Amino acid sequence: MTDSAKHALLKFTALGAIAASAALVGCGKTEEPAPAAAPAAEPAPAPKPEPLKIAFAYIGPVGDGGWTFAHDNARKALEKEFGDKIATSYVENVPEAADAERVIRDMVAQGNKLIFGTTFGYMESMLKVAQDHPEVKFEHATGYKQAENMRTYDSRTYEGAYMAGVIAGGMTKTNTLGVVGSVPIPEVLRNLNSFTLGAQSVNPKIKTRVVWVNAWFDTAKETEAAQSLINQGADVLFQNTDSSAVLQTAGKNNKMAFGWDSDMTAYSPEAHLASAVINWTPYYTQAVNEALDGSWKGGGHVWLGVKDGAIDLVSISDKVPAELKEKAEQVKAGLKDGSFVIWKGPIRNQAGKEVLKKDEVASDDFLRGIDFYVKGVEGKVPSAK
Amino acid sequence: MEPLALLVAATLNAGTVLAIAGLGLLINERAGIVNLGAEGIMLVAAIAGFATAVHSGSDLLAFAAGAAAGALLAAAFGWLVIWLNTNQYATGLALALFGVGFSAFVGLSYTQATLGQRARFVLPWLSDLPFVGVALFRQHPMVYAAMALAALIAWFLYRTRSGLVLRAVGESPESAHALGFPVRRIRLAAVCAGGALCGLAGAYLSVVYSPLWMEGMVAGKGWIALALTTFSTWRPARVLLGAYLFGGVTMLQFHLQGQGVDVSSHLLSMLPYLATIVVLVLISRNAAFIKANMPASIGKPFHPGA
Amino acid sequence: MLRLEPRPQPSRALSLLSPLLALAVTVAVGVLLFALLGKDPLRALQMFFVEPVKSLYALSELSVKATPLVLIALGLALCFRANVWNIGAEGQFVLGAIAAGWVALQAGPEPAWLGRGIVIAILVAGVLGGMLWAAIVALLRERFNANEILVSLMLVYVAILLLSYLVYGPWKDPKGYNFPQTIVFDAVTKLPRLAPRLRANVGSLIALLCVAATWVFMFRLYRGFALQVGGLAPLAARYAGFSAGGALWTSLLISGGLAGLAGAIETIGPLGQLTPHVPVGYGFAAIIVAFVGRLHPVGIVFSAVLMSMFYIGGELAQSRMGLPKALTGVFQGLLLFALLACDTLIHYRVRFGADRFAR
């Protein structure tokens, strides 16, 4: 062996030795010192039950002002509501790839009994871990595969999109609406379609232009996409991305836009029309209650909407004339009591073909697999074959 | 004509961040140093600038803060690379990695902050001119500053003695050293100046271009800027060209998407990158031209007295 | 005043001590950081250095994370030694995954004649896919002098968009509610695991084989020698008759092939399908792994393990101690800085007194 190779081997053996000895030392230590039960110190009749350990896996940072922010707000609400009956923890920025499985397995190893995975991409990983650990309950957001100890849940964000569309249709002067799309998955297609339908309900002449940034947030690209839409004549913008860049670009150009995922009024009060806000607290509270009293059952899919308090259109601006606001509130009331259905035929796709016949109500399955644009949306669906 | 004018305007705006960062990296590379940490520098400067703007309300202070942060990080990089002669590429990558994490860490409390209503810049009489008014004269001052900067750097490099010395250091530090020039100090100055410009670009991004803070918001622009300096064969005007080309094709593909062109948005999104490769190939065909322009000592360490 | 004085020959003691010194410096700064954040520094250190190696499961996860890093870094070490700056390994990784995915998609309950052998076909496809992508870089550099840094980097973005196009379009799972993903590949394509309940797979063994092969190529084969001379002293190499073009193509093809192999292993190993989330930055992290490993095959194994420990440790520190994820990047950057700085001591002595060459 050459000298340099010998050196290389020696020095890295040394490094390896350090690592190995650290491991040996570490193996001797217990992971977490078990809290002393101390029954003798307190003559309490029954020891307090161990808090239910709940863990959350987030796709983004908790400060993203959007998707993850909404989940984390609900987590904090849980802590306030249930006090020391539960103990929550989270891991943020967990990528939707091979790493997710490891993080979730570690959550199980840490004694968490209820685990929330907040993005579609965790589906296969959660399923694998669920199969290995029947004693742990798994909640997966926006997915479609279940197991005996795993169920899926989602928010009907498209209801918020529809209500925003109602306002947009009434506020536009150019009859051109712009949508900054994130990634062309059914959820986003459904949202922009619902937005268009809502606008058409008050203003049948509108056109919607869509531009895709291929990311959930990329502030510079969102800014450029929004600018491009404005340059193409859109005066009201809608987004399915997570940052406030679109709203701010609208403000810069004296146009109007909406907030998404959270209340974005503060980012550009002049441009802000309303915000579609997701609220996971009602569902999470229900899930935790079920887990605590033993009635939690896996295998199902829960899709919550305005009726369940999971999505709402808030902070409607004063720029919006009273009758238009009233209309939006009417839709909200109709969604709340079930008297109003957004996806009811006749609804045509871009090619003019009827996808829903007159008075036909779309099933949840239909909605979950949407891969077309409705009439009124310009452009080609990126995921079409 | 209006859409075309708007496209030109959007192109100039979109290319500015890349242009300023690219010019900074050009100064580095002219002195023979490759700073792969541009992405990290831009991120740290972005949060520095944003935080300053939030607390002080002044854009100018924010730009200064960004430039200072960039210069500081670059100085640390320069010390390692110039005095300790560490490998430039590895050190730059370490800086990139560090900057991504550090900026995310420092920025944790700023993700909900806003900067309020941003000023609109419209040149009084010029902006009413048909076509050119819309295309050229409704930009933030920094857009014009980028162009002026390119001219300034070109003038500095090719028309001043200091610029000549800098280029000499980049071509052959040993010869420059033999002639008595303080090679290491000159290189450090170049690295700091380059870092300051990258920092300025980062601050512009977070304070003016998309005024908010989100971790990782530079989203690869640092790497594109690095690619642009190579693309530009180390000439300032070409850095501008490359930046506007990239920004322009990006805006163009958004425009095509919005117009409903029958091509998948993914394929359209490839356009800026493919266009850059094509133009690079066209520019580089003449090998002698490349050799004539590339600073010969790029990436190589310099040992005085060795 | 401190100054640096070149040593007459590199210090053997310090080449051993340097990585340990760097680690010590990083640990010290880390402890300070953790204490400032109000977290228990010892426990944090345990997360990074002990937890990732303390059980068979942990070691298995470590191998899953380190295998692609090792493979890609090996190829990059070759490239960098030949002075070919292949920054686009991430793109080659993705193309390898795409090619492997295409072959995997052809598998069904049917192809009995290949049976489990399809795994080999998939891996070969991955290698070829990565080589193809790297070949574009080599071609443009050889024929048009196009700088390989820029071309390979731009091609990374193109590769990622190509993957998106495929999984959103032609390769989308028809029963997947239109989500962008291929079907979960048939079980016959799964990369064999090393133990039933662990995720460690034969990919790690393949990686070790490649380490040996690379070592042989670099230090025992004439071709490898020629490559490195070409990188260190191009004029001398030309004089000796070593073909610059040959070095370019050899290094890029090998590096592309290894990156593609890593992509294939990832696809039929831990992933089991193609999604837009195949690219996770291994191609870039491998650049650091290559340098920390001093561009030496054995060194790369250790540096890949160390980097993986940092990644996994960062996750654990987050979930168990509430340490922000951003710290992992800070830690890694610090380690690399410290390593680079300490490496200087191998070639230079620290002396007190005026620096004759202060300029």
Side-chain angles (χ1 to χ4, degrees), chain C residues 58 136 333:
Chain C
I136 300 179

mmCIF file with all atom_site columns, all heavy atoms in Angstrom, chain C residues 58 136 333:
data_model
loop_
_atom_site.group_PDB
_atom_site.id
_atom_site.type_symbol
_atom_site.label_atom_id
_atom_site.label_alt_id
_atom_site.label_comp_id
_atom_site.label_asym_id
_atom_site.label_entity_id
_atom_site.label_seq_id
_atom_site.pdbx_PDB_ins_code
_atom_site.Cartn_x
_atom_site.Cartn_y
_atom_site.Cartn_z
_atom_site.occupancy
_atom_site.B_iso_or_equiv
_atom_site.pdbx_formal_charge
_atom_site.auth_seq_id
_atom_site.auth_comp_id
_atom_site.auth_asym_id
_atom_site.auth_atom_id
_atom_site.pdbx_PDB_model_num
ATOM 1  N N   . ALA C 1 58  ? -30.548 1.331  13.700  1.00 0.00 ? 58  ALA C N   1
ATOM 2  C CA  . ALA C 1 58  ? -29.937 2.634  13.411  1.00 0.00 ? 58  ALA C CA  1
ATOM 3  C C   . ALA C 1 58  ? -28.854 2.485  12.348  1.00 0.00 ? 58  ALA C C   1
ATOM 4  O O   . ALA C 1 58  ? -28.756 3.294  11.428  1.00 0.00 ? 58  ALA C O   1
ATOM 5  C CB  . ALA C 1 58  ? -29.354 3.238  14.686  1.00 0.00 ? 58  ALA C CB  1
ATOM 6  N N   . ILE C 1 136 ? -23.821 13.918 -22.254 1.00 0.00 ? 136 ILE C N   1
ATOM 7  C CA  . ILE C 1 136 ? -24.190 15.199 -22.867 1.00 0.00 ? 136 ILE C CA  1
ATOM 8  C C   . ILE C 1 136 ? -23.173 16.263 -22.446 1.00 0.00 ? 136 ILE C C   1
ATOM 9  O O   . ILE C 1 136 ? -22.689 17.057 -23.265 1.00 0.00 ? 136 ILE C O   1
ATOM 10 C CB  . ILE C 1 136 ? -25.607 15.637 -22.446 1.00 0.00 ? 136 ILE C CB  1
ATOM 11 C CG1 . ILE C 1 136 ? -26.628 14.598 -22.866 1.00 0.00 ? 136 ILE C CG1 1
ATOM 12 C CG2 . ILE C 1 136 ? -25.942 16.998 -23.048 1.00 0.00 ? 136 ILE C CG2 1
ATOM 13 C CD1 . ILE C 1 136 ? -28.038 14.947 -22.469 1.00 0.00 ? 136 ILE C CD1 1
ATOM 14 N N   . GLY C 1 333 ? -21.790 22.587 7.843   1.00 0.00 ? 333 GLY C N   1
ATOM 15 C CA  . GLY C 1 333 ? -20.917 23.614 7.292   1.00 0.00 ? 333 GLY C CA  1
ATOM 16 C C   . GLY C 1 333 ? -19.720 23.875 8.200   1.00 0.00 ? 333 GLY C C   1
ATOM 17 O O   . GLY C 1 333 ? -18.582 23.976 7.755   1.00 0.00 ? 333 GLY C O   1
#
